[in-house]
Every structure is written in structure tokens, then in C-alpha cells.
Amino acid sequence: MWLKWYYFVVSLILLSSVTCESTETSDTATLLKTYRSYIIASHDLDKSDRSILKNWTTDFQIQLVNITTHYRLEMTRHKEHNFITIKTNSKWSDCIDFHHIEIYNSEKLYFNGESKCLQTANAEASRKKHSVYQLEKEIRKWRKSYRYLSSQCNMNNPGDEEAAGECLVEYMQKDNYYMTFQRLILLKMESMSDLYAQILKSLSNCEECLKSNLSVCLSNARNIMDTLNHCYRRKDL
């Protein structure tokens, strides 16, 4: 909720800036103030997003651990069959040995499935996170370009602040350069929202994946018990 409110405020700043820039009466000082507001907004956004990303990442991993632990305990609870090997009964001992091998293989199969579920969940979230980082890089490049243009205008108009300002505005207005920055900020906010949605989706998908994996494991457990029963009966014949 807080994230949506913060992005709403930033969006209002950008939209008000668009209105300001589209007005013919906008003077150089007003436009320069608008551009500086972009810089401040982008810095605040980066700082806020980094903190949010850190919290999301930590919470995401904790949730994955909780989900994984739940289904792993369920698997362990159903796979444990504490049969005692009877030394005087060789046929029972042989069946139990084979039974333990089957349990080990079933457990190994479960952990392989669990690993795939977790890898998929992390990969999905990582792709969205990568998009956020890429947009952050592009915004930093824009700020760097802005500083370069500002420096060039000051160098070309030494001591003339007004001329330097007009020079910078001309650069910014050319090819709608300032609108590119607006678009980058809006895309980054959208990318953060997509990332959060993907985190929730990944957690849900991971739980469904682990649930399906457990179902296979339980089916194997039933088959293993049937195999043990058949093994003992065959040896009893």
C-alpha cells in the first residue's frame, strides 16, 4: 500500500512537470527547476527502491524456506517406516534391505523435485529483478548525461548563468530528451510493481509445485509398502 502511494506521488510530480513543460509561457528558470525535480525524484526513487528490494528479497527467501520446510516435514512424516530387521528371518531381512533402498530413491526423487521447484521460483523473480536493475542503470546514464550537458553549457557560457540555462534547456527540449527521463522513471515504477506481483506468483507457483512433488512422493510411499508386502509373500512361498 505504501509503495503504491509513494509511486502515486512521484507520478504526480512527473505529470505536473509535463503540464509545465507543455505550456508556452514556461520560462527557462521554470524548466530548469523541473529538470532538477526529475533528478531529485530519481535519486529518491532509487534509494527507496533499493530498500524495498532488500526487504522483498529477504521476505521472499523466508517464505520459500517456510513453504519448503512444511512440505519436507510432510514428506519425512510419510516416508518413515521403522521396521526392525530380524536376524533369524533372512527373507524378511532381504525385503527390508530392498525396502530401505526404495525409500532412499524415493527421498532422492523428492529432493530433486524440490530443487527444481525452488530454482524455478528464484529464476522467475530474478528475471523481473534484472529488469529493475537495467532501468536503474539507464536512469543513472541519463543523470550522467544531464550533468555532462550542464557542464558543457557552463563551459561554453562562462559567467553567464542565464545563457548556460538556455543552452541546457535547448539540449533537453531537443528530440524530447526530457521525456525520455520521464518514461524511464515511470517504467521503473511499473517494473517494481511487476516484480512484486511476480514474487507473489512465484511463491504460489512454488507451493503448488512442492504440493505436486509431495503427491508423487506419497504415491511412491504407497507403492513401496505394496512392494514390501509382495516381496515378503513371494519369499514366503
Side-chain angles (χ1 to χ4, degrees), residues 9-60:
V9 172
V10 174
S11 298
L12 283 180
I13 293 174
L14 294 176
L15 289 174
S16 63
S17 300
V18 171
T19 303
C20 174
E21 290 177 353
S22 63
T23 305
E24 293 182 0
T25 57
S26 295
D27 56 17
T28 299
T30 301
L31 291 173
L32 290 174
K33 183 178 179 181
T34 298
Y35 303 149
R36 283 193 290 271
S37 73
Y38 291 171
I39 301 296
I40 294 171
S42 70
H43 274 298
D44 289 344
L45 190 65
D46 284 351
K47 183 179 179 181
S48 172
D49 285 349
R50 280 193 291 270
S51 176
I52 292 170
L53 278 173
K54 183 179 179 181
N55 291 334
W56 283 356
T57 300
T58 300
D59 186 62
F60 179 58

Side-chain angles (χ1 to χ4, degrees), residues 4-114:
K4 290 182 179 180
W5 172 250
Y6 178 73
Y7 285 169
F8 175 71
V9 172
V10 174
S11 298
L12 283 180
I13 293 174
L14 294 176
L15 289 174
S16 63
S17 300
V18 171
T19 303
C20 174
E21 290 177 353
S22 63
T23 305
E24 293 182 0
T25 57
S26 295
D27 56 17
T28 299
T30 301
L31 291 173
L32 290 174
K33 183 178 179 181
T34 298
Y35 303 149
R36 283 193 290 271
S37 73
Y38 291 171
I39 301 296
I40 294 171
S42 70
H43 274 298
D44 289 344
L45 190 65
D46 284 351
K47 183 179 179 181
S48 172
D49 285 349
R50 280 193 291 270
S51 176
I52 292 170
L53 278 173
K54 183 179 179 181
N55 291 334
W56 283 356
T57 300
T58 300
D59 186 62
F60 179 58
Q61 293 304 320
I62 290 173
Q63 292 295 329
L64 284 180
V65 169
N66 290 340
I67 295 171
T68 303
T69 301
H70 170 74
Y71 286 99
R72 188 177 292 186
L73 287 174
E74 285 295 303
M75 180 275 294
T76 303
R77 185 168 66 87
H78 286 88
K79 70 101 178 176
E80 289 294 349
H81 301 291
N82 297 316
F83 296 108
I84 301 174
T85 301
I86 304 174
K87 293 182 179 180
T88 57
N89 192 332
S90 60
K91 60 184 178 182
W92 176 249
S93 179
D94 291 342
C95 288
I96 287 297
D97 288 342
F98 180 68
H99 176 71
H100 287 160
I101 292 173
E102 285 196 310
I103 287 179
Y104 170 78
N105 290 335
S106 177
E107 187 177 33
K108 184 178 179 181
L109 183 65
Y110 176 85
F111 285 127
N112 286 339
E114 177 189 270

Side-chain angles (χ1 to χ4, degrees), residues 165-179:
E166 291 175 352
C167 168
L168 181 57
V169 167
E170 184 179 352
Y171 274 125
M172 294 295 292
Q173 299 293 91
K174 189 183 299 182
D175 299 325
N176 293 326
Y177 189 58
Y178 64 93
M179 293 186 68

Side-chain angles (χ1 to χ4, degrees), residues 65-237:
V65 169
N66 290 340
I67 295 171
T68 303
T69 301
H70 170 74
Y71 286 99
R72 188 177 292 186
L73 287 174
E74 285 295 303
M75 180 275 294
T76 303
R77 185 168 66 87
H78 286 88
K79 70 101 178 176
E80 289 294 349
H81 301 291
N82 297 316
F83 296 108
I84 301 174
T85 301
I86 304 174
K87 293 182 179 180
T88 57
N89 192 332
S90 60
K91 60 184 178 182
W92 176 249
S93 179
D94 291 342
C95 288
I96 287 297
D97 288 342
F98 180 68
H99 176 71
H100 287 160
I101 292 173
E102 285 196 310
I103 287 179
Y104 170 78
N105 290 335
S106 177
E107 187 177 33
K108 184 178 179 181
L109 183 65
Y110 176 85
F111 285 127
N112 286 339
E114 177 189 270
S115 178
K116 291 178 181 178
C117 292
L118 294 173
Q119 286 176 4
T120 300
N122 280 297
E124 290 171 344
S126 293
R127 280 193 292 271
K128 291 294 183 181
K129 192 182 295 184
H130 179 71
S131 298
V132 172
Y133 290 147
Q134 285 299 110
L135 285 167
E136 187 171 309
K137 285 182 180 179
E138 291 301 317
I139 290 174
R140 283 201 300 268
K141 287 180 182 178
W142 190 96
R143 287 198 299 256
K144 185 177 180 180
S145 297
Y146 177 84
R147 289 194 298 269
Y148 172 77
L149 292 175
S150 179
S151 177
Q152 285 295 109
C153 286
N154 286 327
M155 288 176 59
N156 294 336
N157 300 276
D160 192 340
E161 186 175 337
E162 184 176 348
E166 291 175 352
C167 168
L168 181 57
V169 167
E170 184 179 352
Y171 274 125
M172 294 295 292
Q173 299 293 91
K174 189 183 299 182
D175 299 325
N176 293 326
Y177 189 58
Y178 64 93
M179 293 186 68
T180 301
F181 192 51
Q182 293 172 350
R183 180 62 178 161
L184 285 172
I185 293 178
L186 292 174
L187 281 174
K188 187 164 186 280
M189 291 190 292
E190 183 180 334
S191 184
M192 282 289 288
S193 296
D194 289 345
L195 171 58
Y196 184 68
Q198 182 60 62
I199 286 174
L200 296 179
K201 184 179 179 181
S202 292
L203 287 172
S204 177
N205 289 345
C206 185
E207 182 162 13
E208 287 300 316
C209 181
L210 290 172
K211 187 183 296 183
S212 176
N213 193 42
L214 176 63
S215 179
V216 172
C217 183
L218 295 181
S219 178
N220 288 339
R222 287 189 290 270
N223 292 335
I224 288 171
M225 291 304 298
D226 289 341
T227 301
L228 177 63
N229 184 41
H230 292 323
C231 173
Y232 188 74
R233 284 184 176 181
R234 282 199 303 271
K235 289 182 177 292
D236 196 37
L237 294 176

